[in-house]
């Protein structure tokens, strides 16, 4: 295969596995020009195992905070959370989260223009109404999102209220109401119990804004698993991209994990996430991903064919100027704790 490297051994790195020439792969994200990592692989490719192995070994090697958005509650299981050194927080329906977007604007976590775009995407506000929403939020005196809805009512903005009134009613109202959820320490949010996919996106985007406050204190890692669920929301992808960009100077690592790269690549914001990450770990792929992988990572046909038939944990790692095959090697203990297969 036309790979350009046979080994990757970074100083102060962590052992991930071996290359096709059976050389050890010792990887340090801080040896790259940015610290963003993308892990792509279809169901059963070893994507979650790879992520957990990486997080466990990184935490043991370096002093770094670990935070995450976990749509399938894989990381908040007691044994997994204990091994990763995280506090699992399971978000449940009807739980008041205190994730008030207008309060976040007032606190400087997001500017009013970006907040308006986020609201517009989350509540499917048509393009022709978005300039009005941006102006309304930029000129608002509201301190909470509920006060902002009242302002819209006072100015008789019925066209916007048609889309945004859902904010005042359950289940959405629980997201914004109450005291902000605690993000002290290493915390991963499991959101599987929120059955409504749109609600998962709302909660995930606002949790990311909240976690950004901690990430700007330095040396934190944020991972987002099952990230394909955000592909229809460009402003959420843009938010992830902005968090990664802002956090870089603080030594933060952003990890984007998904099984459907073609959905992510369909938007400019998603393409930026995939193409600009300094490190990509590509595990077994579906045929539907072929075109995206060729465009995003300039893979040859031989490399594509390798990924289409790869075994679990086997794939290609592209890290800066390095590109080589990889076989992730979990320990027996990691297999026992992290595997999602009943046979292990």
């Amino acid at each position: 295969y036309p790979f350009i490297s046979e080994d990757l051994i970074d100083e102060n790195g962590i052992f991930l596995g071996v290359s096709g020439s059976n050389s050890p792969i010792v990887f340090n994200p801080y040896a790259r020009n940015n610290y963003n990592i993308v892990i792509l692989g279809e169901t059963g490719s070893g994507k979650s195992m790879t992520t957990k192995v990486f997080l466990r070994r990184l935490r043991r090697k370096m002093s770094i905070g670990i935070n995450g958005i976990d749509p399938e509650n894989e990381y908040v299981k007691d044994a997994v959370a204990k091994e990763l050194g995280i506090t699992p927080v399971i978000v449940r329906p009807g739980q008041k989260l205190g994730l008030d977007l207008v309060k976040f604007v007032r606190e400087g976590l997001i500017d009013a223009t970006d907040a308006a775009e986020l609201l517009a995407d989350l509540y499917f506000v048509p393009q022709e109404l978005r300039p009005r929403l941006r102006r309304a939020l930029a000129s608002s005196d509201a301190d909470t999102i509920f006060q902002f809805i009242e302002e819209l009512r006072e100015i008789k903005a019925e066209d916007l209220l048609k889309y945004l009134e859902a904010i005042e009613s359950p289940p959405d109202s629980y997201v914004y109401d109450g005291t902000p959820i605690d993000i002290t320490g290493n915390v991963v949010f499991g959101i599987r119990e929120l059955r409504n996919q749109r609600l998962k996106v709302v909660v995930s985007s606002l949790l990311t804004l909240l976690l950004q406050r901690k990430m700007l204190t330095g040396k934190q890692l944020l991972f987002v698993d099952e990230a394909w669920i955000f592909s229809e929301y460009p402003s959420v992808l843009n938010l992830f991209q902005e968090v990664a960009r802002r956090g870089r100077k603080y030594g933060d690592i952003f990890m984007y994990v998904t099984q459907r790269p073609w959905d992510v690549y369909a938007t400019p914001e998603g393409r930026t996430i995939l193409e600009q990450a300094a490190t990509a770990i590509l595990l077994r792929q579906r045929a539907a991903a072929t075109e995206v992988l060729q465009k995003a990572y300039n893979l040859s046909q031989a490399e594509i064919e390798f990924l289409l038939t790869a075994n679990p944990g086997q794939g290609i790692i592209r890290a800066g100027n390095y590109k080589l095959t990889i076989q992730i090697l979990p320990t027996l203990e990691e297999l026992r704790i992290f595997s999602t297969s009943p046979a292990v």
Side-chain angles (χ1 to χ4, degrees):
Y1 298 107
F3 300 108
I4 60 175
S5 313
E6 290 189 358
D7 56 38
L8 191 167
I9 302 178
D10 292 331
E11 186 177 356
N12 297 320
I14 58 172
F15 174 73
L16 287 181
V18 295
S19 70
S21 62
N22 214 34
S23 300
I25 293 178
V26 181
F27 170 68
N28 183 349
Y30 292 108
R32 315 276 89 80
N33 64 352
N34 70 56
Y35 319 134
N36 302 342
I37 301 170
V38 168
I39 299 179
L40 307 178
E42 70 166 338
T43 301
S45 65
K47 173 171 46 65
S48 293
M49 176 66 73
T50 297
T51 304
K52 292 167 190 170
V53 165
F54 173 78
L55 292 175
R56 179 181 188 258
R57 296 179 186 180
L58 187 72
R59 185 182 70 85
R60 292 187 168 198
K61 181 75 175 182
M62 305 177 185
S63 176
I64 187 168
I66 295 178
N67 313 275
I69 308 294
D70 178 11
E72 292 300 320
N73 287 16
E74 282 194 39
Y75 302 81
V76 295
K77 296 174 183 176
D78 288 343
V80 175
K82 181 178 179 181
E83 195 62 29
L84 295 180
I86 61 174
T87 300
V89 177
I90 298 177
V91 178
R92 295 183 167 87
Q95 179 181 355
K96 292 184 177 181
L97 302 177
L99 301 172
D100 191 314
L101 183 59
V102 171
K103 286 184 179 179
F104 291 164
V105 172
R106 300 291 172 253
E107 293 169 8
L109 294 180
I110 186 172
D111 67 36
T113 299
D114 289 340
E117 280 302 310
L118 186 57
L119 275 179
D121 271 4
L122 295 176
Y123 291 94
F124 309 108
V125 176
Q127 289 295 332
E128 62 269 19
L129 295 180
R130 295 188 178 203
R132 187 177 182 191
L133 177 57
R134 288 195 293 267
R135 290 193 298 271
L137 191 54
S139 62
S140 172
D141 293 323
D143 291 321
T144 71
I145 198 162
F146 301 114
Q147 291 175 5
F148 176 63
I149 298 299
E150 281 302 314
E151 286 183 350
L152 293 179
R153 211 167 265 126
E154 290 171 7
I155 64 173
K156 296 182 169 38
E158 300 300 332
D159 48 357
L160 289 174
L161 286 169
K162 174 183 175 182
Y163 299 94
L164 300 179
E165 276 184 325
I167 288 170
E168 296 182 306
S169 304
D172 292 55
S173 59
Y174 294 125
V175 175
Y176 304 102
D177 199 9
T179 303
I181 198 163
D182 186 16
I183 59 169
T184 304
N186 299 325
V187 58
V188 173
F189 295 95
I191 60 174
R192 183 177 183 178
E193 293 188 21
L194 302 177
R195 295 301 181 182
N196 182 302
Q197 187 127 298
R198 186 195 59 82
L199 193 63
K200 284 185 178 182
V201 174
V202 172
V203 170
S204 297
S205 58
L206 297 175
L207 282 173
T208 299
L209 276 172
L210 187 64
L211 288 167
Q212 180 179 238
R213 177 185 295 155
K214 181 166 64 171
M215 294 186 74
L216 297 183
T217 65
K219 214 77 185 267
Q220 300 284 327
L221 179 148
L222 172 63
F223 72 89
V224 180
D225 204 347
E226 298 297 338
W228 62 269
I229 70 171
F230 309 107
S231 57
E232 295 181 12
Y233 302 85
S235 63
V236 178
L237 296 177
N238 192 56
L239 171 62
F240 292 154
Q241 181 186 331
E242 181 64 15
V243 169
R245 186 191 66 79
R246 293 184 66 185
R248 193 174 305 158
K249 66 179 180 181
Y250 299 96
D252 294 333
I253 297 172
F254 180 75
M255 291 183 65
Y256 196 84
V257 185
T258 185
Q259 60 178 293
R260 294 167 58 172
W262 56 88
D263 282 344
V264 180
Y265 199 77
T267 66
E269 295 81 6
R271 285 197 292 276
T272 299
I273 289 174
L274 296 187
E275 293 175 346
Q276 293 191 359
T279 302
I281 298 177
L282 312 175
L283 302 172
R284 189 178 68 236
Q285 302 290 326
R286 302 184 203 174
T290 298
E291 185 178 354
V292 166
L293 296 176
Q294 286 175 327
K295 288 180 178 178
Y297 302 114
N298 195 29
L299 298 186
S300 69
Q301 188 58 40
E303 291 165 342
I304 291 293
E305 289 172 4
F306 173 72
L307 291 178
L308 293 177
T309 58
N311 295 319
Q314 188 179 54
I316 295 171
I317 181 170
R318 193 200 70 170
N321 293 324
Y322 292 88
K323 183 170 65 171
L324 59 162
T325 58
I326 185 171
Q327 175 67 59
I328 303 295
L329 292 180
T331 64
L332 289 175
E333 181 184 24
E334 288 168 338
L335 278 172
R336 179 179 59 82
I337 296 171
F338 294 153
S339 178
T340 56
S341 170
V344 176

